[in-house]
Amino acid sequence: MFLFGIEHEVAFLNKEGKFADFSHTHFADLNQIIEKLPTYPSDYPQLRIGNAGIKMKRWYIEGFERFADSDKVIDCHVKGIEIRTTIHSDIQGAITELSESFHLLREVAANFGFSPVLVSFNPYNPVFEPHPPLNDYETKELQAYPDEQTANIHMVSYGPDLNISVANLSTEDVIDIGRKLTYYSPYIVPFSYSSPFYKGGLWDGLSVRTFVRTGKRPAALVFVQKQEQLIDSTPSLTKIARIPAEVGRIEFKACDSCDNFLIYAALLTLLKGLVLDETLLGRETVPDAALHQLSAKSGFDNEDIFGNATKVLQAAEVALGDDPDVDYLTPLKVMLAKRKTRTHELIEMFHRLSSIEEVIRQTYQV
Protein backbone atom coordinates (compact mmCIF):
# COMPACT_ATOMS: atom_id res chain seq x y z
CA MET A 1 0.00 0.00 0.00
CA PHE A 2 1.30 3.43 -1.01
CA LEU A 3 0.77 6.77 0.73
CA PHE A 4 1.34 10.16 -0.92
CA GLY A 5 1.71 13.80 0.08
CA ILE A 6 2.96 17.03 -1.50
CA GLU A 7 4.64 20.12 -0.08
CA HIS A 8 4.56 22.98 -2.58
CA GLU A 9 6.30 26.36 -2.15
CA VAL A 10 4.55 29.42 -3.55
CA ALA A 11 6.29 32.69 -4.47
CA PHE A 12 4.39 35.97 -4.93
CA LEU A 13 4.29 39.33 -6.64
CA ASN A 14 3.25 42.14 -4.28
CA LYS A 15 0.69 44.86 -4.97
CA GLU A 16 3.36 46.98 -6.73
CA GLY A 17 3.93 44.05 -9.08
CA LYS A 18 7.42 43.39 -7.65
CA PHE A 19 8.77 39.97 -6.74
CA ALA A 20 8.13 39.55 -3.01
CA ASP A 21 11.23 38.15 -1.31
CA PHE A 22 13.25 38.64 1.89
CA SER A 23 14.79 41.89 0.61
CA HIS A 24 11.59 43.91 1.11
CA THR A 25 8.86 41.57 2.38
CA HIS A 26 8.33 40.99 6.09
CA PHE A 27 6.91 38.16 8.15
CA ALA A 28 3.83 40.25 9.00
CA ASP A 29 3.11 40.82 5.28
CA LEU A 30 2.59 37.12 4.65
CA ASN A 31 1.35 36.22 8.13
CA GLN A 32 -1.79 38.34 7.58
CA ILE A 33 -2.62 35.91 4.74
CA ILE A 34 -1.97 32.82 6.90
CA GLU A 35 -4.17 34.18 9.69
CA LYS A 36 -7.18 34.33 7.36
CA LEU A 37 -6.80 30.72 6.20
CA PRO A 38 -8.66 27.91 7.98
CA THR A 39 -7.38 25.32 10.45
CA TYR A 40 -8.50 21.70 10.09
CA PRO A 41 -8.23 19.98 13.50
CA SER A 42 -8.43 16.52 11.89
CA ASP A 43 -5.09 17.19 10.10
CA TYR A 44 -3.20 16.42 13.30
CA PRO A 45 -1.15 14.46 14.30
CA GLN A 46 -0.12 13.76 10.67
CA LEU A 47 1.07 17.36 10.05
CA ARG A 48 4.08 18.52 12.06
CA ILE A 49 3.72 21.83 13.90
CA GLY A 50 7.43 22.38 14.70
CA ASN A 51 9.07 24.23 17.57
CA ALA A 52 8.53 27.79 16.38
CA GLY A 53 4.75 27.37 16.09
CA ILE A 54 4.80 28.81 12.54
CA LYS A 55 3.56 25.54 11.01
CA MET A 56 0.07 25.54 12.52
CA LYS A 57 -1.94 25.04 9.31
CA ARG A 58 -1.85 23.45 5.85
CA TRP A 59 -0.22 26.74 4.82
CA TYR A 60 2.77 28.26 6.59
CA ILE A 61 5.46 30.85 5.98
CA GLU A 62 8.62 29.36 4.52
CA GLY A 63 11.70 31.24 5.57
CA PHE A 64 14.74 31.55 7.79
CA GLU A 65 13.93 31.75 11.49
CA ARG A 66 15.90 34.15 13.66
CA PHE A 67 16.65 33.55 17.32
CA ALA A 68 17.70 35.60 20.30
CA ASP A 69 20.49 34.01 22.38
CA SER A 70 18.16 31.08 23.12
CA ASP A 71 15.75 28.82 21.25
CA LYS A 72 13.13 31.58 21.24
CA VAL A 73 12.19 32.66 17.70
CA ILE A 74 12.21 36.47 17.37
CA ASP A 75 11.77 36.92 13.61
CA CYS A 76 11.62 35.06 10.31
CA HIS A 77 13.07 36.24 6.98
CA VAL A 78 10.45 35.22 4.43
CA LYS A 79 10.75 33.31 1.20
CA GLY A 80 7.11 32.51 0.42
CA ILE A 81 4.25 30.34 1.63
CA GLU A 82 4.34 26.56 1.63
CA ILE A 83 1.22 24.46 1.10
CA ARG A 84 1.33 20.93 2.46
CA THR A 85 -1.24 18.24 1.92
CA THR A 86 -2.36 15.65 4.41
CA ILE A 87 -1.45 12.01 3.71
CA HIS A 88 -3.46 10.30 0.96
CA SER A 89 -3.76 6.68 -0.11
CA ASP A 90 -4.08 7.76 -3.75
CA ILE A 91 -2.32 10.31 -5.95
CA GLN A 92 -5.56 11.97 -7.08
CA GLY A 93 -6.49 12.72 -3.45
CA ALA A 94 -3.21 14.58 -2.87
CA ILE A 95 -3.56 16.56 -6.13
CA THR A 96 -7.18 17.50 -5.40
CA GLU A 97 -6.32 18.74 -1.91
CA LEU A 98 -3.30 20.69 -3.19
CA SER A 99 -5.47 22.35 -5.87
CA GLU A 100 -8.15 23.30 -3.34
CA SER A 101 -5.57 24.70 -0.90
CA PHE A 102 -3.87 26.65 -3.69
CA HIS A 103 -7.13 28.26 -4.88
CA LEU A 104 -7.98 29.26 -1.32
CA LEU A 105 -4.49 30.73 -0.82
CA ARG A 106 -4.73 32.70 -4.07
CA GLU A 107 -8.15 34.06 -3.08
CA VAL A 108 -7.04 35.20 0.39
CA ALA A 109 -3.66 36.56 -0.81
CA ALA A 110 -5.44 38.74 -3.41
CA ASN A 111 -7.17 40.62 -0.57
CA PHE A 112 -3.72 41.80 0.55
CA GLY A 113 -2.39 42.58 -2.93
CA PHE A 114 -0.30 39.39 -3.34
CA SER A 115 -0.57 37.10 -6.37
CA PRO A 116 1.12 33.67 -6.70
CA VAL A 117 3.72 33.20 -9.43
CA LEU A 118 5.75 30.23 -10.66
CA VAL A 119 9.36 30.64 -9.61
CA SER A 120 11.88 27.90 -8.78
CA PHE A 121 14.86 30.18 -8.17
CA ASN A 122 14.82 33.81 -7.05
CA PRO A 123 15.01 35.72 -10.36
CA TYR A 124 16.77 38.75 -8.81
CA ASN A 125 18.65 37.82 -5.62
CA PRO A 126 20.91 34.79 -6.13
CA VAL A 127 22.25 35.03 -2.57
CA PHE A 128 20.58 35.28 0.83
CA GLU A 129 22.51 37.03 3.60
CA PRO A 130 20.73 37.42 6.94
CA HIS A 131 20.45 40.95 8.35
CA PRO A 132 21.39 41.51 11.09
CA PRO A 133 24.26 39.00 10.88
CA LEU A 134 23.90 35.73 12.79
CA ASN A 135 24.55 35.90 16.53
CA ASP A 136 26.68 33.34 18.41
CA TYR A 137 23.70 31.14 19.32
CA GLU A 138 22.49 31.01 15.69
CA THR A 139 25.98 30.29 14.35
CA LYS A 140 26.43 27.41 16.80
CA GLU A 141 23.01 25.95 15.91
CA LEU A 142 23.76 26.06 12.17
CA GLN A 143 27.14 24.41 12.63
CA ALA A 144 25.48 21.50 14.43
CA TYR A 145 23.46 20.58 11.32
CA PRO A 146 25.39 20.34 8.02
CA ASP A 147 22.26 20.76 5.85
CA GLU A 148 21.31 23.96 7.69
CA GLN A 149 24.53 25.54 6.45
CA THR A 150 23.00 25.68 2.96
CA ALA A 151 20.20 28.01 4.13
CA ASN A 152 21.60 30.52 1.61
CA ILE A 153 20.47 28.10 -1.15
CA HIS A 154 17.18 27.17 0.54
CA MET A 155 16.14 30.83 0.76
CA VAL A 156 16.50 31.47 -2.99
CA SER A 157 15.18 28.18 -4.38
CA TYR A 158 11.57 27.00 -4.56
CA GLY A 159 10.42 23.46 -5.20
CA PRO A 160 8.19 20.64 -4.01
CA ASP A 161 8.72 17.76 -1.65
CA LEU A 162 7.04 14.81 -3.34
CA ASN A 163 6.36 12.39 -0.48
CA ILE A 164 5.82 8.68 -0.92
CA SER A 165 5.83 5.76 1.48
CA VAL A 166 5.05 2.06 1.22
CA ALA A 167 3.65 -0.14 3.97
CA ASN A 168 5.71 -2.97 5.44
CA LEU A 169 9.10 -2.12 3.93
CA SER A 170 12.18 -2.62 6.08
CA THR A 171 14.39 0.39 6.90
CA GLU A 172 17.06 -1.11 4.60
CA ASP A 173 14.60 -1.30 1.72
CA VAL A 174 13.40 2.28 2.22
CA ILE A 175 17.00 3.57 2.31
CA ASP A 176 17.73 1.54 -0.84
CA ILE A 177 14.83 3.30 -2.62
CA GLY A 178 16.20 6.65 -1.42
CA ARG A 179 19.60 5.77 -2.91
CA LYS A 180 17.95 4.66 -6.16
CA LEU A 181 16.02 7.93 -6.51
CA THR A 182 19.21 9.87 -5.72
CA TYR A 183 21.05 8.03 -8.52
CA TYR A 184 18.31 8.58 -11.14
CA SER A 185 17.50 12.14 -10.02
CA PRO A 186 19.35 13.92 -12.90
CA TYR A 187 17.05 12.11 -15.34
CA ILE A 188 13.83 12.70 -13.35
CA VAL A 189 14.18 16.42 -12.64
CA PRO A 190 14.11 17.79 -16.24
CA PHE A 191 10.39 16.94 -16.39
CA SER A 192 9.86 19.74 -13.84
CA TYR A 193 12.27 22.43 -15.09
CA SER A 194 10.94 25.97 -14.60
CA SER A 195 13.82 28.24 -13.53
CA PRO A 196 15.42 30.07 -16.47
CA PHE A 197 15.85 33.46 -14.73
CA TYR A 198 18.93 34.67 -12.85
CA LYS A 199 20.04 38.11 -11.63
CA GLY A 200 17.23 39.86 -13.48
CA GLY A 201 17.75 38.21 -16.87
CA LEU A 202 17.79 34.90 -18.74
CA TRP A 203 20.18 32.21 -17.56
CA ASP A 204 21.99 30.13 -20.18
CA GLY A 205 20.32 26.87 -19.22
CA LEU A 206 17.03 25.33 -18.12
CA SER A 207 17.16 25.14 -14.32
CA VAL A 208 19.22 27.50 -12.20
CA ARG A 209 17.72 25.78 -9.14
CA THR A 210 19.10 22.36 -10.08
CA PHE A 211 22.46 23.80 -11.10
CA VAL A 212 22.97 25.61 -7.79
CA ARG A 213 21.18 23.32 -5.37
CA THR A 214 21.52 19.61 -6.05
CA GLY A 215 24.66 18.07 -4.64
CA LYS A 216 24.83 20.61 -1.83
CA ARG A 217 21.30 19.67 -0.75
CA PRO A 218 19.70 16.21 -0.98
CA ALA A 219 17.83 14.82 -3.97
CA ALA A 220 15.93 12.40 -1.73
CA LEU A 221 15.52 12.20 2.04
CA VAL A 222 14.49 9.08 3.96
CA PHE A 223 12.93 9.35 7.42
CA VAL A 224 14.02 6.65 9.88
CA GLN A 225 12.94 5.86 13.41
CA LYS A 226 16.18 5.41 15.32
CA GLN A 227 19.55 7.11 15.61
CA GLU A 228 21.44 3.93 14.68
CA GLN A 229 19.59 3.75 11.33
CA LEU A 230 21.05 7.07 10.16
CA ILE A 231 23.67 7.07 7.40
CA ASP A 232 26.41 9.65 7.76
CA SER A 233 26.50 11.71 4.55
CA THR A 234 26.60 15.33 3.39
CA PRO A 235 24.06 16.20 2.18
CA SER A 236 21.96 13.87 4.33
CA LEU A 237 20.15 10.92 2.80
CA THR A 238 18.52 10.00 6.12
CA LYS A 239 16.84 11.96 8.89
CA ILE A 240 15.18 11.03 12.17
CA ALA A 241 11.37 11.15 11.87
CA ARG A 242 9.99 13.99 13.97
CA ILE A 243 6.48 12.54 14.24
CA PRO A 244 5.35 8.87 13.89
CA ALA A 245 3.63 9.63 10.55
CA GLU A 246 7.05 10.43 9.01
CA VAL A 247 8.66 7.04 9.72
CA GLY A 248 9.48 5.31 6.41
CA ARG A 249 8.64 8.36 4.31
CA ILE A 250 10.74 9.17 1.25
CA GLU A 251 10.80 12.82 0.22
CA PHE A 252 11.93 13.50 -3.32
CA LYS A 253 13.26 17.06 -3.11
CA ALA A 254 15.13 17.70 -6.36
CA CYS A 255 12.32 18.91 -8.67
CA ASP A 256 11.58 22.48 -9.70
CA SER A 257 8.16 23.92 -8.87
CA CYS A 258 5.27 23.20 -11.23
CA ASP A 259 2.25 25.42 -11.84
CA ASN A 260 0.38 22.56 -13.52
CA PHE A 261 -0.34 20.16 -10.66
CA LEU A 262 -0.94 17.30 -13.11
CA ILE A 263 2.84 17.27 -13.54
CA TYR A 264 3.09 16.50 -9.80
CA ALA A 265 0.62 13.64 -10.37
CA ALA A 266 2.88 12.41 -13.17
CA LEU A 267 6.03 12.72 -11.05
CA LEU A 268 4.46 10.91 -8.07
CA THR A 269 3.41 8.14 -10.47
CA LEU A 270 6.95 7.99 -11.84
CA LEU A 271 8.30 7.64 -8.28
CA LYS A 272 5.71 4.95 -7.53
CA GLY A 273 6.81 3.06 -10.65
CA LEU A 274 10.47 3.36 -9.64
CA VAL A 275 9.67 1.97 -6.18
CA LEU A 276 8.02 -1.06 -7.83
CA ASP A 277 10.70 -1.48 -10.53
CA GLU A 278 13.42 -4.08 -10.00
CA THR A 279 15.42 -3.60 -13.21
CA LEU A 280 17.19 -0.27 -12.58
CA LEU A 281 20.27 -1.00 -10.48
CA GLY A 282 21.94 2.42 -10.04
CA ARG A 283 22.39 3.55 -6.43
CA GLU A 284 23.98 6.68 -4.92
CA THR A 285 24.08 8.01 -1.35
CA VAL A 286 24.98 11.57 -2.38
CA PRO A 287 23.64 13.28 -5.54
CA ASP A 288 26.07 13.57 -8.46
CA ALA A 289 26.48 17.37 -8.61
CA ALA A 290 28.23 17.40 -12.02
CA LEU A 291 25.54 15.27 -13.64
CA HIS A 292 22.80 17.45 -12.16
CA GLN A 293 24.58 20.51 -13.56
CA LEU A 294 24.77 18.92 -17.01
CA SER A 295 21.07 18.12 -16.74
CA ALA A 296 20.30 21.68 -15.55
CA LYS A 297 22.12 23.21 -18.53
CA SER A 298 20.88 20.99 -21.36
CA GLY A 299 17.94 18.87 -20.18
CA PHE A 300 16.65 16.48 -22.83
CA ASP A 301 18.90 18.05 -25.50
CA ASN A 302 21.75 16.08 -23.96
CA GLU A 303 21.63 12.54 -25.37
CA ASP A 304 22.75 10.91 -22.09
CA ILE A 305 20.07 12.74 -20.09
CA PHE A 306 17.44 12.05 -22.77
CA GLY A 307 18.35 8.36 -23.08
CA ASN A 308 18.32 7.72 -19.35
CA ALA A 309 15.12 9.73 -18.80
CA THR A 310 13.49 7.53 -21.46
CA LYS A 311 14.81 4.40 -19.73
CA VAL A 312 13.56 5.55 -16.32
CA LEU A 313 10.10 6.44 -17.65
CA GLN A 314 9.78 3.12 -19.50
CA ALA A 315 10.91 1.13 -16.44
CA ALA A 316 8.32 2.90 -14.27
CA GLU A 317 5.59 2.28 -16.85
CA VAL A 318 6.40 -1.43 -17.11
CA ALA A 319 6.55 -1.81 -13.32
CA LEU A 320 3.12 -0.16 -12.93
CA GLY A 321 1.58 -2.68 -15.35
CA ASP A 322 -2.20 -2.31 -15.40
CA ASP A 323 -2.31 0.12 -12.45
CA PRO A 324 -4.72 2.90 -13.60
CA ASP A 325 -2.25 5.52 -12.31
CA VAL A 326 -0.09 4.73 -15.34
CA ASP A 327 -2.21 7.19 -17.36
CA TYR A 328 -0.77 10.06 -15.28
CA LEU A 329 2.58 9.51 -17.06
CA THR A 330 1.22 10.86 -20.38
CA PRO A 331 2.44 14.49 -19.95
CA LEU A 332 5.98 13.20 -19.29
CA LYS A 333 5.89 11.17 -22.51
CA VAL A 334 4.80 14.29 -24.41
CA MET A 335 7.70 16.28 -22.93
CA LEU A 336 10.19 13.60 -23.92
CA ALA A 337 8.80 13.37 -27.45
CA LYS A 338 9.11 17.15 -27.89
CA ARG A 339 12.25 17.49 -25.72
CA LYS A 340 10.58 20.59 -24.28
CA THR A 341 9.96 21.61 -20.65
CA ARG A 342 8.06 24.41 -18.88
CA THR A 343 11.32 26.39 -18.99
CA HIS A 344 11.18 26.48 -22.81
CA GLU A 345 7.73 28.09 -22.61
CA LEU A 346 8.93 30.65 -20.06
CA ILE A 347 11.93 31.55 -22.25
CA GLU A 348 9.67 32.03 -25.28
CA MET A 349 7.36 34.26 -23.21
CA PHE A 350 10.35 36.31 -22.05
CA HIS A 351 11.53 36.88 -25.63
CA ARG A 352 8.03 38.13 -26.38
CA LEU A 353 7.40 40.23 -23.24
CA SER A 354 10.95 41.28 -22.20
CA SER A 355 9.92 41.35 -18.53
CA ILE A 356 10.35 38.66 -15.89
CA GLU A 357 7.36 40.02 -13.92
CA GLU A 358 5.12 39.92 -17.00
CA VAL A 359 6.17 36.33 -17.71
CA ILE A 360 5.63 35.00 -14.20
CA ARG A 361 2.37 36.95 -13.86
CA GLN A 362 1.01 34.66 -16.60
CA THR A 363 1.81 31.44 -14.73
CA TYR A 364 -0.66 29.45 -12.62
CA GLN A 365 -3.43 29.77 -15.19
CA VAL A 366 -5.41 27.10 -13.33
Side-chain angles (χ1 to χ4, degrees), residues 30-43:
L30 297 187
N31 199 43
Q32 61 188 347
I33 300 170
I34 301 289
E35 284 176 346
K36 296 288 185 195
L37 289 160
T39 302
Y40 302 95
S42 60
D43 286 357

Side-chain angles (χ1 to χ4, degrees), residues 8-207:
H8 172 71
E9 294 176 330
V10 183
F12 294 90
L13 292 180
N14 63 20
K15 53 176 164 292
E16 285 82 40
K18 293 267 182 278
F19 184 67
D21 69 3
F22 49 82
S23 64
H24 58 274
T25 310
H26 302 287
F27 183 80
D29 297 330
L30 297 187
N31 199 43
Q32 61 188 347
I33 300 170
I34 301 289
E35 284 176 346
K36 296 288 185 195
L37 289 160
T39 302
Y40 302 95
S42 60
D43 286 357
Y44 310 95
Q46 58 174 293
L47 293 186
R48 191 175 75 89
I49 292 176
N51 300 335
I54 290 171
K55 302 179 178 182
M56 295 294 288
K57 303 186 180 186
R58 291 182 183 180
W59 307 261
Y60 66 86
I61 293 171
E62 187 66 66
F64 184 80
E65 292 162 4
R66 299 304 305 268
F67 298 85
D69 52 1
S70 68
D71 60 2
K72 184 178 181 325
V73 176
I74 54 169
D75 195 10
C76 178
H77 301 305
V78 300
K79 175 169 90 164
I81 290 177
E82 178 158 312
I83 306 170
R84 53 187 177 165
T85 70
T86 53
I87 300 166
H88 292 264
S89 56
D90 65 318
I91 290 170
Q92 186 57 57
I95 298 299
T96 300
E97 188 191 309
L98 177 63
S99 300
E100 287 167 357
S101 290
F102 176 79
H103 286 297
L104 196 49
L105 173 63
R106 174 150 70 181
E107 213 172 273
V108 173
N111 296 330
F112 298 99
F114 287 91
S115 51
V117 289
L118 175 66
V119 161
S120 293
F121 194 86
N122 189 310
Y124 297 102
N125 286 316
V127 175
F128 165 72
E129 286 175 3
H131 294 292
L134 299 182
N135 61 37
D136 291 346
Y137 174 83
E138 291 171 317
T139 304
K140 204 168 90 200
E141 282 295 294
L142 286 186
Q143 284 167 349
Y145 302 98
D147 290 356
E148 294 298 330
Q149 291 171 42
T150 54
N152 57 322
I153 298 173
H154 156 72
M155 283 295 288
V156 293
S157 64
Y158 301 75
D161 288 345
L162 300 171
N163 301 335
I164 186 167
S165 57
V166 195
N168 304 320
L169 282 187
S170 68
T171 302
E172 289 74 19
D173 285 343
V174 180
I175 290 172
D176 186 63
I177 293 165
R179 295 184 69 237
K180 180 179 186 176
L181 297 182
T182 299
Y183 180 90
Y184 290 102
S185 170
Y187 316 118
I188 297 169
V189 290
F191 292 113
S192 69
Y193 282 167
S194 66
S195 50
F197 303 118
Y198 186 69
K199 290 187 177 176
L202 270 185
W203 187 64
D204 62 342
L206 301 176
S207 174

Side-chain angles (χ1 to χ4, degrees), residues 67 79 115 146 181 192 196 222 229 245 249 271 303 308 342:
F67 298 85
K79 175 169 90 164
S115 51
L181 297 182
S192 69
V222 176
Q229 295 167 330
R249 177 183 298 174
L271 298 180
E303 289 306 324
N308 279 293
R342 185 68 169 120

Side-chain angles (χ1 to χ4, degrees), residues 234-254:
T234 304
S236 303
L237 174 69
T238 51
K239 187 172 185 174
I240 293 275
R242 298 154 297 187
I243 54 173
E246 281 184 339
V247 176
R249 177 183 298 174
I250 302 157
E251 287 187 352
F252 191 73
K253 306 175 79 70

